[in-house]
Amino acid sequence: MKTPTSDLVAAEILRQRAEAASRGSEARHLSLLDHLPLCVHELDLNGKFLTMNAAGVRMLGLDSASAAVGLDFRQVVDPVDLPRVETLWLQALAGQGSEFEFRGSGRMAGRIVASSFVPVKRVDGQVASVVGVTQDITERSQLEGELRKFALAIEQSPDSISITNAQVQIEYVNDAYLKSCGYAREEVLGKNPGFLKSGKTPPETYRALWKALNSGEPWKGQFHNRKKNGDELIEDVVIGPVRDRGGQVTHFVEVKEDVTERMRIAEELGEYRLHLEDLVAERTAQLTAARAQAEAASKSKTVFLTSMSHEIRTPMNAILGLTYLLQQEHPTPQQLEHLEQINNSAGHLLSIINSVLDLSKIEAGKLTLEHVKVDLRAIVNMVVAQFIEPAEKKGLTFEIAGAEIPGALWGDATRLKQALLNYVSNAVKFSSQGKISLRISVQEDLGKEVLLRFEVEDSGIGIAPERLARLFVPFEQVDSSTTRDYGGTGLGLALTRQLAELMGGEAMASSETGRGSCFWFTAKLDRVARFPGLSPEIVDSVQQPQGQHAGARILVADDNFANRAVAVAILENSGFVVATASNGQEAVEMALVASYDLVLMDMQMPVLDGLQATRAIRAASGLQHLPILAMTANVFEEDRKVCMEAGMNDFVAKPFRAQSLLSVIEHWLSLGPLPHLPLDGGNCRFG
């Protein structure tokens, strides 16, 4: 029979079990918070810390979480920002959440922090405490500042700069453009650049312009235009195409220099030459000086663009690298989406930067085919994967067929994929039902080579036979309604034909109105690899899977902290043992006293640059076989050449993708100790 005493004992046992369960739950929650990369903390109503996770302890530079208890959050806020943060704190006490940024103070001096306050309410609705989430965004703010500087450099350029879309409609002009022509920005945007024509520019100038652009090459020349007030405007012009990742022209960049005054002086000089010999001599000297100044300015532009390449690509490398690292740290779905947006935007910006920098090259538009092992199945899968979603939305299905194709073929996989993308994109665009067939067959066996035929057949609107000849002409559409209803520039098919001809084939189409179309191209692929000067054993080693060299010792020499940190994180995550040097002299000293399997060497560093450091390492006994890879934001062909002449083995351009960097490293580690080869740049890269 129960007694009151036994009931009390049972109640006490139940109470103790409940408290133990509560403590266990709390401990689990605290353990989870300690694994978060963000600082999470709880504040009492006076603004003093009650709890703080491990990330917060590290951010504040404390020894433990207990050391944070009782500290006032105001102690870590810069006095200049404190009034604004104090106002947001009062909002949190009133039951309102808030997000803000501030500069740190004390142990966080010099750091930029993003934080938020969220009130924690009791059952009766009163605020019991405030939970804060804080993140150090110093590096991100610095990178955003670098990008803003690049935008300001273009906006504040003394040259007129405009960007048009593929339909040659102006989308952007800088202030110099508006100042030069006298129009307001709203009067310019959306117009064709030809609205400035004065009628004095020779017709052959425009023919030469479009001949160059249709061939994918930039054009330089002179326009005789007219300002808004009617004054003559003579401009030296450089126009070049901007392509997306698939090689499609999306925009045109125009850079103009007002040479009206210079031309006026030249014309005046011609008039005076008829009258006074002395004046002729004087004006000739002026013209000579002006020409020398123009040539010096042109050289300065090239130097400026080279410098810009380095200054832009260096922070861009950090943006792409840090984004990749954050994607590996198990972010939330929303964070992962944001990171993907950052990655895509950075990649798009990089493609624009590359196109603008290409304008400075003397030999522009010279396309060189790669020679790598071609996986046709992978190419077809990648092409189809890009259009599965839009095809399914229209009720289209894919049918893939292929006869017996030789297994080992070598050629330019990127250009094959680009040509197929152009065809499949059009097939999906112009079809509303039915299927799209993609077929590959051997058209001719040439012994060491094989001529393959690639076909894409659709069930779309079709094309009248008399209009087929216009399809492969740049910027041509079947008729004006095609552009209006479906969009496009008419450049994709022209590029496909050019790519096919470069690969030893041709491109054609057959079609009937209302019965669909069949577009095809041919290309020659080799049965064997072509690597001059290398043995078959070395070539075979390229195809070995990656990840076989965990534990290899790699020295990273780079004076930029962010880029050094990105490279270290990527390499260590892949199992490599990494050491770092912040200048060329330090890299040489480390290479002389320790054994490394490979060196990543930046070109521009203090004390000794990458080229000097490489020469010093090569001069040391026993280090002639050490693989040294240039890791640099200087991407012009002359930069690659000087790297090889200095004794480097390969060239990794910043910004690099993590997988690309690891692929090159794995390749050189797989070769083992090889004598240094004075490669010309074409023999040092492998597919």
Side-chain angles (χ1 to χ4, degrees):
M1 174 166 134
K2 290 189 186 179
T3 66
T5 303
S6 63
D7 288 340
L8 291 174
V9 171
E12 178 62 20
I13 292 173
L14 291 174
R15 184 186 66 78
Q16 293 178 1
R17 289 179 178 176
E19 289 180 351
S22 176
R23 287 193 298 272
S25 176
E26 182 179 1
R28 287 194 297 274
H29 290 162
L30 291 175
S31 176
L32 289 173
L33 290 177
D34 279 342
H35 285 82
L36 291 176
L38 304 178
C39 169
V40 181
H41 50 79
E42 184 178 9
L43 302 163
D44 64 17
L45 299 184
N46 294 319
K48 295 184 177 181
F49 293 109
L50 295 174
T51 60
M52 181 175 293
N53 69 347
V57 172
R58 291 192 298 270
M59 181 182 292
L60 294 181
L62 301 175
D63 296 328
S64 64
S66 61
V69 176
L71 291 177
D72 194 310
F73 80 88
R74 300 170 182 84
Q75 296 176 251
V76 299
V77 180
D78 189 285
V80 176
D81 292 339
L82 187 56
R84 177 171 54 85
V85 177
E86 188 72 39
T87 300
L88 298 171
W89 166 253
L90 294 176
Q91 291 180 7
L93 294 181
Q96 303 175 18
S98 58
E99 297 182 359
F100 53 96
E101 294 181 8
F102 64 91
R103 287 163 292 185
S105 179
R107 294 182 178 179
M108 293 192 56
R111 310 301 294 177
I112 301 175
V113 178
S115 189
S116 62
F117 287 148
V118 179
V120 179
K121 298 180 180 179
R122 296 194 296 263
V123 177
D124 60 2
Q126 296 298 313
V127 176
S129 63
V130 175
V131 172
V133 178
T134 303
Q135 181 181 10
D136 189 332
I137 61 170
T138 306
E139 284 74 18
R140 188 183 73 190
S141 296
Q142 292 172 346
L143 292 175
E144 291 173 350
E146 292 295 328
L147 291 177
R148 283 193 294 271
K149 284 194 291 185
F150 168 64
L152 288 173
I154 293 179
E155 184 58 38
Q156 298 174 12
S157 170
D159 290 333
S160 299
I161 299 176
S162 65
I163 300 176
T164 64
N165 58 26
Q167 288 73 42
V168 201
Q169 297 168 325
I170 297 175
E171 293 186 347
Y172 167 84
V173 294
N174 67 350
D175 289 341
Y177 184 102
L178 301 175
K179 182 178 179 181
S180 176
C181 67
Y183 285 90
R185 197 177 302 274
E186 58 271 15
E187 295 176 300
V188 172
L189 296 180
K191 288 189 176 181
N192 184 290
F195 80 97
L196 293 174
K197 288 181 179 179
S198 67
K200 294 184 178 180
T201 302
E204 54 266 27
T205 297
Y206 296 110
R207 288 195 291 269
L209 161 66
W210 286 110
K211 180 179 179 181
L213 294 183
N214 290 342
S215 300
E217 298 181 355
W219 175 84
K220 295 175 65 175
Q222 190 175 90
F223 288 157
H224 288 254
N225 289 329
R226 191 172 301 282
K227 299 182 180 181
K228 183 178 181 180
N229 63 7
D231 289 349
E232 185 179 38
L233 177 62
I234 305 175
E235 298 171 299
D236 282 347
V237 187
V238 177
I239 302 176
V242 178
R243 296 183 177 83
D244 59 20
R245 293 182 178 178
Q248 184 75 23
V249 173
T250 61
H251 292 81
F252 296 97
V253 177
E254 181 183 57
V255 181
K256 302 190 296 183
E257 179 185 5
D258 185 350
V259 296
T260 308
E261 181 63 15
R262 191 174 75 194
M263 296 300 295
R264 186 192 65 78
I265 293 174
E267 184 177 355
E268 181 183 7
L269 179 61
E271 294 174 355
Y272 281 130
R273 185 181 294 113
L274 300 174
H275 304 288
L276 300 172
E277 288 295 330
D278 292 341
L279 186 59
V280 169
E282 178 184 354
R283 293 301 188 188
T284 301
Q286 293 177 355
L287 183 60
T288 301
R291 182 175 298 172
Q293 184 178 4
E295 292 174 352
S298 178
K299 293 180 180 179
S300 297
K301 287 180 181 178
T302 301
V303 174
F304 170 75
L305 286 169
T306 302
S307 176
M308 181 182 289
S309 171
H310 182 272
E311 294 302 320
I312 294 173
R313 288 172 175 274
T314 296
M316 187 65 69
N317 186 66
I319 292 174
L320 291 171
L322 292 171
T323 301
Y324 168 81
L325 295 176
L326 289 173
Q327 288 174 324
Q328 313 306 310
E329 294 181 0
H330 308 293
T332 66
Q334 184 179 22
Q335 291 170 336
L336 188 61
E337 181 181 355
H338 291 168
L339 290 171
E340 186 63 26
Q341 291 171 348
I342 293 173
N343 191 59
N344 291 339
S345 297
H348 178 64
L349 178 59
L350 179 61
S351 69
I352 295 176
I353 292 169
N354 286 338
S355 298
V356 173
L357 293 175
D358 282 345
L359 296 177
S360 68
K361 296 183 179 180
I362 298 175
E363 297 181 358
K366 291 188 176 180
L367 183 63
T368 302
L369 295 178
E370 294 180 347
H371 193 78
V372 299
K373 192 169 185 179
V374 176
D375 187 338
L376 292 175
R377 182 186 298 274
I379 291 174
V380 171
N381 287 342
M382 285 188 288
V383 170
V384 172
Q386 291 195 33
F387 296 98
I388 282 291
E389 184 175 349
E392 289 180 346
K393 288 182 179 179
K394 301 177 75 172
L396 298 170
T397 60
F398 280 99
E399 179 182 82
I400 301 173
E404 290 295 325
I405 306 297
L409 294 174
W410 298 76
D412 194 325
T414 300
R415 303 305 173 187
L416 289 172
K417 177 184 174 184
Q418 181 180 352
L420 284 175
L421 281 171
N422 288 335
Y423 277 176
V424 175
S425 174
N426 283 343
V428 174
K429 181 190 299 183
F430 294 109
S431 300
S432 58
Q433 60 181 357
K435 67 180 180 180
I436 296 172
S437 300
L438 198 159
R439 297 183 291 269
I440 305 176
S441 60
V442 177
Q443 180 163 310
E444 188 176 0
D445 192 331
L446 303 173
K448 293 183 178 181
E449 296 178 325
V450 59
L451 183 66
L452 295 185
R453 180 184 175 98
F454 299 82
E455 297 181 357
V456 176
E457 186 174 3
D458 62 59
S459 54
I461 61 176
I463 306 164
E466 65 272 13
R467 293 177 172 173
L468 283 175
R470 292 170 49 195
L471 280 178
F472 292 90
V473 178
F475 299 103
E476 284 280 353
Q477 295 279 14
V478 172
D479 56 43
S480 60
S481 64
T482 302
T483 303
R484 182 174 63 252
D485 296 338
Y486 297 95
T489 63
L491 189 60
L493 296 180
L495 288 174
T496 299
R497 170 168 284 180
Q498 293 174 3
L499 291 174
E501 291 174 352
L502 281 171
M503 292 185 287
E506 57 181 339
M508 295 292 290
S510 59
S511 180
E512 290 185 45
T513 304
R515 292 194 163 188
S517 307
C518 180
F519 286 82
W520 59 268
F521 72 90
T522 56
K524 289 181 181 178
L525 277 73
D526 291 332
R527 292 182 181 273
V528 295
R530 288 185 277 111
F531 293 100
L534 298 181
S535 68
E537 291 77 10
I538 296 178
V539 175
D540 291 340
S541 70
V542 179
Q543 306 304 319
Q544 295 177 3
Q546 298 181 7
Q548 300 180 7
H549 301 91
R553 292 173 53 83
I554 297 179
L555 174 61
V556 177
D558 196 317
D559 64 317
N560 184 281
F561 173 79
N563 286 326
R564 201 164 60 239
V566 167
V568 169
I570 291 173
L571 295 174
E572 288 184 344
N573 287 344
S574 299
F576 296 114
V577 178
V578 185
T580 63
S582 59
N583 61 64
Q585 181 63 44
E586 187 177 337
V588 174
E589 294 172 354
M590 294 177 68
L592 293 177
V593 299
S595 176
Y596 296 100
D597 300 295
L598 184 142
V599 177
L600 289 174
M601 184 78 73
D602 188 27
M603 282 182 65
Q604 295 190 10
M605 291 187 293
V607 188
L608 290 180
D609 61 30
L611 301 176
Q612 295 169 324
T614 299
R615 295 188 186 99
I617 292 174
R618 290 296 184 217
S621 175
L623 296 180
Q624 290 79 15
H625 302 165
L626 175 64
I628 302 177
L629 314 185
M631 186 174 62
T632 176
N634 293 345
V635 295
F636 294 101
E637 187 59 35
E638 52 266 31
D639 300 315
R640 183 187 300 273
K641 184 177 180 180
V642 297
C643 286
M644 300 308 163
E645 290 175 348
M648 296 181 177
N649 300 84
D650 210 335
F651 187 99
V652 179
K654 296 178 185 175
F656 51 76
R657 300 286 184 178
Q659 196 58 41
S660 299
L661 175 64
L662 295 174
S663 177
V664 175
I665 290 174
E666 288 284 354
H667 158 64
W668 283 103
L669 292 177
S670 70
L671 298 183
L674 289 173
H676 169 64
L677 301 175
L679 300 174
D680 60 3
N683 299 341
C684 61
R685 299 305 301 271
F686 303 87

